[in-house]
Amino acid sequence: MYEDKTLVCNECGQEFVFSAGEQEFYAARGFQNEPKKCKACRAARKDATRAPRELFTATCAACGGEAKVPFEPKSDRPVYCSSCFSKMRENG
């Protein structure tokens, strides 16, 4: 029913594809208008309105390395670096 369309971004002037899947998604949500901006320009605008995250430094409870986390660590709960946290999730 839907076919890919090539549109031009109003922001940067680059062509981008409005895929059949995206068109179906828009129709399911009741959106009437096609997108005016490419994904990169939409993402840049979204990031510009988002407040920067404050990262806190902690010591990883597993390897002792430095861990940057988006919450203030508390002494009663262990904190893990990204790699140790990923390993823990994989091992269940």
Side-chain angles (χ1 to χ4, degrees), residues 43-70:
R45 182 174 183 198
K46 187 176 179 181
D47 288 343
T49 61
R50 191 177 293 159
R53 279 185 126 174
E54 182 179 0
L55 294 177
F56 298 88
T57 303
T59 303
C60 177
C63 70
E66 184 180 278
K68 297 265 187 189
V69 292

Side-chain angles (χ1 to χ4, degrees), residues 4-35:
D4 291 357
K5 291 182 183 179
T6 301
L7 304 175
V8 178
C9 178
N10 284 356
E11 255 332 276
C12 66
Q14 296 291 321
E15 290 185 347
F16 66 98
V17 176
F18 184 36
S19 71
E22 290 172 323
Q23 292 174 50
E24 192 173 336
F25 175 82
Y26 272 53
R29 297 285 191 266
F31 299 148
Q32 299 289 323
N33 301 320
E34 295 178 342

